[in-house]
Amino acid sequence: MIRILYSFLIYIFIIAIISCGKTTDENVGDAVSAVNDTASSLDESLFGNNENFISGDEAPENVIFGKTILDPGTTQSNEFEESASDVIKTSWGDYVVVGTSISWEWPMPDNMEDILIIKLDGVSGNVIWNKKIHHRNFDRGTSIVEDNDGNYVITGFTSINDETKSDVFFGKIDPQGNVLAKKAINISRKYDGGYSISKTADGGFVIGGEAGHHHNEDFMILKVDQNGNKKWSKKFSDHEDNSAYEAIEASDGNFYLVGSKRIVNKLDDIRIIKTNSKGKKIWDKTYGGDKDDIGEGIVESENNTFVVVAGTFSYGTAGDVMLMKIDSDGEVIWQYNYGGDKLDQLREYDGNSVSGRHLTKTPNGGFLVSGYSSSYGGMWVFKTNSSGSTLWNYSNQNWGGAFAARQWVDGSVIITGPGSSGDTVDLFVLKIK
């Protein structure tokens, strides 16, 4: 917009000069110089200093809003347990959160677990709409993206009997909260589910998750079109308890999956698999020490390199968060731990909590990590630059663990997760700047 205005002002100035009979190169040059000054002033008045505008490297100091959001069918905290796994900012500037609502009713109702999806005003945080999606007895929402048409597309788990049989959930919701599609996608005919969904270059989506027996899962990648129709899927069998918590399409068209792999005589290692555009394995590598190390997320950095976030008990003190940068061959470029002298983690590794989107890329090429810290006290979000150096830490004892956080060009950060509330937990959304 500024450049369009700039060109228009040059045109007006030159026409004015010509109309006055002053057509020398010197006068035209003066006109352009004056317009340059005007455009510079407009840039500054509209955007401020450009470095500050895109940076957001200053530690957040202010809470813009903080919301506790309950199941839409209740006003009492103890009737449902609500948690969030992901949050996005829409192309219109609002926020959309996806998660799960668990009923505490006894005997158990048919909709024991439902997917929660909530839309909030981007300025005030006021709830625009709050809805549940029910498909089967157990439905859990884990990840959300906005598609090319402005709709919200989610994945998760859907099951009649959560102990023996589950399928990948795919849902699409329009900006008004109307459900356009909801379906179960079968992979192994046993226990399948999606932990992450991201857009692909062809307008469809890639889902990362698990497939196999309950507590004996395999890494799974699923490619679907824009309507959730399965194009292909792959599962990678190995020892018991393997799950891919995130899958992304890289800029070169290959796919990367990150998660955990059970290792004999120890607990878990970080596992990363690279496939080609059809899901054929290119390489399969593990990383970690002699204790639990669990990969949770992956983002592409610059020059076909990637940053992975993991919970680690092999490195650091009493449990830390780790960032690791790798190249396209899986070779480690750098690896750093984050946390204090107490337990610091992305989530509880108790076999029950759903992985969130714990790693996102910031507008200026840094990385934002969300979790829980005993060292810093409560909900924990920290930002690093592109080299992994910590820029700031933010913690807040008033909220539970952070399952997802995203930063925008104005430096604001939106955070969501399950917050503590007596015997249950309630979903929270927090905006800081």
Side-chain angles (χ1 to χ4, degrees):
M1 180 63 73
I2 288 295
R3 296 306 134 202
I4 295 172
L5 183 57
Y6 174 84
S7 301
F8 177 74
L9 288 173
I10 287 179
Y11 174 79
I12 294 298
F13 267 69
I14 292 175
I15 291 299
I17 290 169
I18 292 173
S19 67
C20 295
K22 298 178 182 179
T23 59
T24 66
D25 289 342
E26 181 178 351
N27 285 328
V28 172
D30 289 344
V32 173
S33 177
V35 174
N36 275 329
D37 291 341
T38 303
S40 177
S41 298
L42 285 167
D43 275 335
E44 206 166 283
S45 63
L46 288 177
F47 297 123
N49 180 276
N50 189 54
E51 181 178 352
N52 290 333
F53 177 69
I54 66 169
S55 174
D57 288 344
E58 301 79 13
E61 297 178 350
N62 301 308
V63 173
I64 308 303
F65 61 76
K67 302 279 184 178
T68 295
I69 302 174
L70 304 180
D71 183 285
T74 187
T75 58
Q76 300 182 51
S77 175
N78 61 359
E79 290 187 346
F80 295 87
E81 181 175 313
E82 303 93 351
S83 64
S85 295
D86 201 1
V87 58
I88 58 170
K89 188 175 186 178
T90 73
S91 54
W92 292 97
D94 299 315
Y95 301 114
V96 181
V97 176
V98 69
T100 304
S101 174
I102 303 174
S103 173
W104 279 54
E105 182 181 342
W106 188 261
M108 292 189 300
D110 289 341
N111 58 330
M112 178 65 182
E113 298 180 7
D114 283 330
I115 293 171
L116 269 183
I117 182 166
I118 304 154
K119 187 171 185 177
L120 302 95
D121 178 83
V123 177
S124 65
N126 292 332
V127 174
I128 299 173
W129 46 256
N130 177 7
K131 300 195 175 184
K132 290 198 295 189
I133 299 175
H134 175 64
H135 191 53
R136 293 172 171 170
N137 293 6
F138 299 86
D139 301 310
R140 297 195 294 274
T142 58
S143 184
I144 184 168
V145 292
E146 183 178 18
D147 71 8
N148 295 335
D149 298 321
N151 301 307
Y152 316 129
V153 181
I154 61 179
T155 193
F157 290 68
T158 180
S159 172
I160 296 174
N161 181 347
D162 195 43
E163 290 297 318
T164 59
K165 179 73 171 67
S166 175
D167 292 316
V168 176
F169 180 85
F170 177 92
K172 182 182 289 191
I173 300 92
D174 72 14
Q176 290 72 46
N178 301 306
V179 177
L180 303 179
K182 58 179 180 179
K183 62 177 64 178
I185 305 173
N186 182 269
I187 307 297
S188 70
R189 301 187 182 277
K190 297 173 185 175
Y191 198 86
D192 310 326
Y195 281 116
S196 77
I197 187 167
S198 59
K199 291 194 288 188
T200 52
D202 62 1
F205 308 93
V206 61
I207 296 172
E210 60 191 29
H213 296 286
H214 197 214
H215 293 305
N216 187 15
E217 303 90 356
D218 296 316
F219 259 50
M220 184 276 294
I221 182 172
L222 168 64
K223 182 69 179 68
V224 299
D225 66 16
Q226 65 269 26
N227 296 313
N229 299 311
K230 182 167 71 171
K231 299 184 71 174
W232 52 260
S233 66
K234 302 286 184 180
K235 69 187 189 79
F236 305 97
S237 300
D238 216 302
H239 299 292
E240 64 180 9
D241 289 345
N242 294 271
S243 299
Y245 294 121
E246 187 145 34
I248 61 168
E249 182 185 47
S251 55
D252 62 3
N254 295 312
F255 294 101
Y256 289 78
L257 296 84
V258 64
S260 64
K261 176 180 179 178
R262 179 61 52 88
I263 304 298
V264 178
N265 298 325
K266 69 179 296 292
L267 298 177
D268 291 284
D269 269 352
I270 301 161
R271 185 184 192 184
I272 305 173
I273 295 177
K274 178 182 178 179
T275 79
N276 67 10
S277 61
K278 299 299 182 182
K280 182 179 180 180
K281 186 190 294 185
I282 297 174
W283 52 254
D284 181 347
K285 298 186 178 184
T286 59
Y287 309 79
D290 59 358
K291 297 179 182 177
D292 258 335
D293 306 295
I294 300 175
E296 293 280 354
I298 185 169
V299 295
E300 185 169 5
S301 188
E302 77 289 340
N303 302 321
N304 206 216
T305 60
F306 304 85
V307 171
V308 173
V309 69
T312 178
F313 292 87
S314 297
Y315 310 105
T317 305
D320 276 347
V321 169
M322 182 175 75
L323 287 181
M324 178 177 68
K325 186 174 186 177
I326 61 171
D327 63 19
S328 58
D329 295 319
E331 298 300 318
V332 177
I333 299 171
W334 51 253
Q335 176 180 318
Y336 300 116
N337 294 343
Y338 306 83
D341 57 0
K342 297 180 182 178
L343 176 61
D344 308 300
Q345 57 190 341
L346 299 173
R347 62 182 173 98
E348 293 286 343
Y349 296 108
D350 59 2
N352 295 314
S353 62
V354 173
S355 175
R357 307 274 58 81
H358 294 285
L359 174 67
T360 55
K361 196 173 179 180
T362 64
N364 61 343
F367 307 102
L368 196 67
V369 179
S370 51
Y372 179 86
S373 173
S374 298
S375 299
Y376 301 116
M379 180 270 290
W380 178 38
V381 175
F382 67 89
K383 181 180 178 179
T384 77
N385 63 13
S386 59
S387 300
S389 298
T390 303
L391 297 174
W392 50 258
N393 276 282
Y394 179 87
S395 60
N396 193 316
Q397 296 182 357
N398 296 323
W399 308 95
F403 268 40
R406 297 179 188 269
Q407 186 181 47
W408 282 272
V409 292
D410 64 353
S412 65
V413 176
I414 193 79
I415 307 164
T416 194
S420 297
S421 178
D423 294 332
T424 66
V425 295
D426 297 323
L427 183 152
F428 79 87
V429 183
L430 180 68
K431 183 177 180 178
I432 57 175
K433 186 176 179 181

